[in-house]
Amino acid sequence: MTNPEAVTAQPQVFLRQLFDAAVLRALPIHNTAAYLPPPPKGRTVVLGAGKAGGAMAQAVEALWPSDKPMSGLVVTRYGHTPPRPAGVPERIEVVEASHPVPDAAGLAAAERILALTQGLTEDDLVLFLISGGGSALLTLPADGLTLADKQRINKDLLSSGAGIGEMNCVRKHLSRIKGGRLAAACAPALVVTLTISDVPGDDPSVIASGPTVPDITTCADAWAILQRYNIQVPAVVEAALKAGALETPKPSAVWDKQPVHLIATPQQSLDAAAALARAAGLNAYVLSDELEGESREVGKVHAALARAAARGLGPFQKPCVILSGGETTVTIRKQAPGTPKGRGGRAGEFCLGLAVALQAQAGVWAIAADTDGIDGIEDNAGACVSPNTLARAEAAGVKAADCLDRNDAYGFFEALGDLVVTGPTHTNVNDFRAMLVL
């Protein structure tokens, strides 16, 4: 689509093209070459975790000199290993595990990854590939914690409304591999970290709980977060946190020699979508790449901006696209016994809150989707909103307010045929939101 008339004819198609452009910009194969160090005198060991882990491993395999040896292990989410490109030999083992709640496969992978750091020398290189999802996939509980404990704590965090920084602070202190501990285990080898950011602000210490990055948060911070959200831990772990016995490696001059490269970020993907919108003759505005907050409330704010633009008011001049990224949260509402369980993730709940607040505003369409292709734990990436969303829902007998009460955005948009289903995209720069105002 190269003009506003074509966009007007198929607004939802155009919004999906914007999402696809954002994802394409973040694919590892397009972003890795510039950050690869030269082959070392000794061994090259590739370690990694995350929903983009398989694609990142394949990019390194394709770009690393064919005559230079390389081996390693990367863990990704079930179903997220991309098909192997023709002519690219497998030199890095890729295994799969559960996300967002860890499982025994992730525990086994983390144990193997930590074991691969043994015996490294100063002549060796460790390439660490990390992307969103790595916290759950790289699970190695601290002393006093079982896998079952970590699973329960993770579930409690996910449903608490805690921000990603808060969740990862807790995860770092309840782990034997996160919060810089993996890099410390690699000494004296050089550790070069390549990361795809899925967090607001692109802080490498927050991405997947920073296994190769020093941590400024403390045991006291982690304990305060657990108390804030009323999340229980075993008594021995509570005592260890209060005593500072589970402290993570802190910043020092040693870390200056361990480079960390952001190879893909949310802002880059939003800029790619904005460029496509401008090429189609639209004004394009990027609100921010680091919006946080309750998904439905963020939806209300976006709706207010879109309604103003549709009426010719405010700072955004139509025809336009208003873009945003970041990581919102969903707090699961308590339900009366017997109430049907809701389904859905951040993107769907944003869209449902947006649809309700738009009040069927003419001339406004929207898409929200997670750039990894998975919204929460469902099979969709997100959903779409149009001016007739509420009318079609009423005709189908689906009540938006009821679905919002039950955190059932998936059920709402599934009934309308408005789920965005992409399958795994093999990257992850977090939430993507676009509103089209014509």
Side-chain angles (χ1 to χ4, degrees):
M1 296 183 180
T2 57
N3 59 73
E5 291 74 22
V7 173
T8 301
Q10 293 183 292
Q12 296 289 24
V13 172
F14 180 68
L15 286 169
R16 175 58 189 270
Q17 290 175 346
L18 294 180
F19 173 74
D20 291 343
V23 169
L24 183 65
R25 176 63 181 84
L27 290 177
I29 193 61
H30 304 314
N31 297 288
T32 300
Y35 301 103
L36 288 177
K41 183 189 301 184
R43 293 189 294 148
T44 298
V45 178
V46 181
L47 307 174
K51 285 181 272 189
M56 294 179 82
Q58 289 183 359
V60 171
E61 288 172 327
L63 296 166
W64 198 250
S66 58
D67 61 337
K68 299 297 182 181
M70 178 176 64
S71 63
L73 176 65
V74 170
V75 57
T76 192
R77 181 177 174 162
Y78 291 123
H80 281 243
T81 305
R84 176 155 295 278
V88 177
E90 181 177 356
R91 296 194 273 176
I92 304 165
E93 182 182 358
V94 177
V95 298
E96 298 183 343
S98 175
H99 176 278
V101 178
D103 67 356
L107 176 60
E111 289 174 336
R112 289 182 60 198
I113 285 172
L114 193 59
L116 288 172
T117 67
Q118 300 303 303
L120 292 170
T121 74
E122 60 185 11
D123 291 329
D124 298 328
L125 166 69
V126 175
L127 271 179
F128 189 67
L129 314 177
I130 194 71
S131 57
S135 284
L137 295 165
L138 204 61
T139 293
L140 203 54
D143 292 339
L145 280 176
T146 65
L147 176 59
D149 290 329
K150 287 294 290 282
Q151 290 170 326
R152 177 188 56 77
I153 293 167
N154 214 47
K155 288 178 182 177
D156 290 347
L157 283 168
L158 289 168
S159 62
S160 71
I164 185 63
E166 293 176 308
M167 288 193 283
N168 284 358
C169 171
V170 172
R171 288 163 170 164
K172 290 176 190 179
H173 288 89
L174 301 186
S175 171
R176 287 186 286 127
I177 199 168
K178 300 184 178 78
R181 291 184 174 94
L182 180 61
C186 293
L190 171 66
V191 179
V192 176
T193 299
L194 307 184
T195 182
I196 294 178
S197 173
D198 73 324
V199 301
D202 301 332
D203 183 349
S205 73
V206 178
I207 301 166
S209 302
T212 57
V213 182
D215 177 34
I216 63 170
T217 69
T218 65
C219 285
D221 295 329
W223 175 240
I225 292 163
L226 290 167
Q227 288 183 297
R228 184 176 309 139
Y229 295 103
N230 194 29
I231 295 172
Q232 304 301 310
V233 295
V236 64
V237 174
E238 176 181 337
L241 285 172
K242 290 179 176 178
L246 299 179
E247 203 51 87
T248 47
K250 301 305 178 207
S252 69
V254 172
W255 296 94
D256 295 341
K257 298 178 181 179
Q258 309 283 31
V260 178
H261 301 295
L262 287 163
I263 70 168
T265 67
Q267 185 66 48
Q268 291 169 350
S269 286
L270 292 172
D271 288 344
L276 181 60
R278 293 181 184 116
L282 305 174
N283 296 314
Y285 306 96
V286 178
L287 294 179
S288 173
D289 70 334
E290 50 183 295
L291 291 181
E292 298 181 85
E294 196 68 27
S295 293
R296 64 181 69 194
E297 301 302 323
V298 176
K300 288 181 185 177
V301 173
H302 280 63
L305 297 175
R307 283 170 60 82
R311 296 168 182 168
L313 305 172
F316 307 126
Q317 301 299 308
K318 66 177 184 179
C320 69
V321 168
I322 302 170
L323 299 153
S324 71
E327 182 162 0
T328 59
T329 53
V330 173
T331 302
I332 304 301
R333 267 57 178 174
K334 291 184 178 179
Q335 302 295 324
T339 303
K341 182 177 173 61
R343 302 169 64 194
R346 301 188 307 264
E349 184 139 330
F350 166 88
C351 284
L352 188 48
L354 176 73
V356 170
L358 279 172
Q359 304 171 41
Q361 174 66 54
V364 178
W365 291 260
I367 186 173
D370 198 312
T371 52
D372 66 5
I374 305 296
D375 187 22
I377 60 173
E378 305 301 337
D379 60 358
N380 67 312
C384 290
V385 174
S386 63
N388 63 5
T389 291
L390 296 182
R392 288 187 293 121
E394 185 176 355
V398 182
K399 296 181 179 179
D402 174 60
C403 289
L404 204 50
D405 266 351
R406 295 188 295 108
N407 301 106
D408 192 29
Y410 187 99
F412 180 86
F413 289 106
E414 182 183 39
L416 304 183
D418 284 344
L419 294 174
V420 176
V421 179
T422 65
T425 63
H426 311 302
T427 191
N428 183 17
V429 287
N430 228 317
D431 300 343
F432 174 87
R433 296 176 288 266
M435 298 186 298
L436 174 63
V437 185
L438 299 175

